Amino acid sequence: MRPYASLQVGDEVADIAGRAWRFEGPWDWTAFDEEPAGKGPTWPLVLLTRAGTPCSVEDAEAVAASTASGSHQETVRHWMALTEALPTP
Protein backbone atom coordinates (compact mmCIF):
# COMPACT_ATOMS: atom_id res chain seq x y z
CA MET A 1 0.00 0.00 0.00
CA ARG A 2 1.45 3.32 -1.05
CA PRO A 3 0.14 6.79 -1.83
CA TYR A 4 -0.73 7.25 -5.48
CA ALA A 5 -0.66 3.52 -6.21
CA SER A 6 -2.06 4.16 -9.70
CA LEU A 7 0.74 6.59 -10.64
CA GLN A 8 4.28 5.77 -11.74
CA VAL A 9 7.32 8.04 -11.55
CA GLY A 10 7.45 10.09 -14.73
CA ASP A 11 3.69 10.09 -15.38
CA GLU A 12 2.33 13.30 -16.81
CA VAL A 13 -1.15 14.35 -15.73
CA ALA A 14 -3.56 17.25 -16.05
CA ASP A 15 -5.56 18.41 -13.07
CA ILE A 16 -9.10 19.78 -12.87
CA ALA A 17 -7.69 23.34 -12.79
CA GLY A 18 -6.07 22.82 -16.19
CA ARG A 19 -2.46 22.58 -15.00
CA ALA A 20 -0.15 19.91 -16.35
CA TRP A 21 2.10 18.10 -13.87
CA ARG A 22 4.90 15.55 -13.85
CA PHE A 23 4.74 13.02 -11.01
CA GLU A 24 8.23 12.41 -9.61
CA GLY A 25 7.13 10.58 -6.48
CA PRO A 26 4.49 10.87 -3.78
CA TRP A 27 5.56 14.29 -2.53
CA ASP A 28 7.34 15.51 -5.66
CA TRP A 29 5.14 17.14 -8.30
CA THR A 30 6.47 19.51 -10.97
CA ALA A 31 4.10 21.85 -12.79
CA PHE A 32 4.85 22.43 -16.46
CA ASP A 33 3.81 26.10 -16.27
CA GLU A 34 6.84 26.86 -14.06
CA GLU A 35 4.61 28.43 -11.43
CA PRO A 36 5.21 27.32 -7.84
CA ALA A 37 3.67 23.93 -7.07
CA GLY A 38 1.79 25.38 -4.11
CA LYS A 39 -0.45 22.71 -2.62
CA GLY A 40 0.06 20.41 -5.60
CA PRO A 41 -2.40 19.26 -8.23
CA THR A 42 -6.14 19.68 -7.85
CA TRP A 43 -7.98 16.38 -8.17
CA PRO A 44 -9.32 14.61 -10.15
CA LEU A 45 -6.35 13.92 -12.42
CA VAL A 46 -6.23 12.84 -16.05
CA LEU A 47 -3.28 10.67 -17.06
CA LEU A 48 -1.70 12.09 -20.23
CA THR A 49 1.47 10.05 -20.72
CA ARG A 50 3.27 7.16 -19.09
CA ALA A 51 6.99 6.60 -19.73
CA GLY A 52 6.83 9.38 -22.32
CA THR A 53 4.17 7.71 -24.46
CA PRO A 54 0.38 8.01 -24.58
CA CYS A 55 -1.19 6.01 -21.80
CA SER A 56 -3.49 3.05 -22.14
CA VAL A 57 -7.20 3.39 -21.50
CA GLU A 58 -6.87 1.07 -18.50
CA ASP A 59 -4.10 3.17 -16.92
CA ALA A 60 -6.05 6.39 -17.54
CA GLU A 61 -9.16 4.89 -15.95
CA ALA A 62 -7.18 3.72 -12.91
CA VAL A 63 -5.73 7.19 -12.31
CA ALA A 64 -9.13 8.86 -12.80
CA ALA A 65 -10.78 6.44 -10.37
CA SER A 66 -8.07 6.76 -7.72
CA THR A 67 -8.23 10.58 -7.79
CA ALA A 68 -11.99 10.96 -8.20
CA SER A 69 -12.34 12.04 -4.58
CA GLY A 70 -10.04 13.48 -1.98
CA SER A 71 -7.05 15.67 -2.73
CA HIS A 72 -3.28 15.71 -2.80
CA GLN A 73 -3.24 17.52 0.55
CA GLU A 74 -5.62 14.97 2.08
CA THR A 75 -3.31 12.17 0.93
CA VAL A 76 -0.29 13.94 2.46
CA ARG A 77 -2.09 14.38 5.78
CA HIS A 78 -3.24 10.74 5.79
CA TRP A 79 0.27 9.39 5.18
CA MET A 80 1.82 11.76 7.72
CA ALA A 81 -0.62 10.43 10.33
CA LEU A 82 0.09 6.79 9.40
CA THR A 83 3.87 7.13 9.39
CA GLU A 84 4.28 9.86 12.00
CA ALA A 85 6.71 11.46 9.55
CA LEU A 86 6.88 14.58 7.39
CA PRO A 87 7.63 14.59 3.66
CA THR A 88 10.95 16.17 2.79
CA PRO A 89 10.80 19.50 0.96
Side-chain angles (χ1 to χ4, degrees):
M1 186 167 151
R2 65 179 177 88
Y4 310 106
S6 64
L7 292 172
Q8 297 177 12
V9 171
D11 281 354
E12 296 176 355
V13 300
D15 71 9
I16 192 81
R19 290 183 80 184
W21 298 84
R22 181 174 176 90
F23 177 73
E24 298 294 345
W27 320 124
D28 191 6
W29 294 88
T30 302
F32 284 100
D33 61 12
E34 299 183 14
E35 293 295 319
K39 294 185 177 186
T42 305
W43 289 6
L45 303 177
V46 174
L47 183 61
L48 303 172
T49 68
R50 175 156 284 164
T53 61
C55 62
S56 71
V57 171
E58 294 81 14
D59 289 342
E61 289 173 348
V63 169
S66 71
T67 62
S69 64
S71 69
H72 167 65
Q73 288 301 310
E74 185 178 307
T75 300
V76 169
R77 285 190 299 273
H78 176 74
W79 280 90
M80 286 171 42
L82 288 174
T83 63
E84 298 181 2
L86 299 174
T88 58

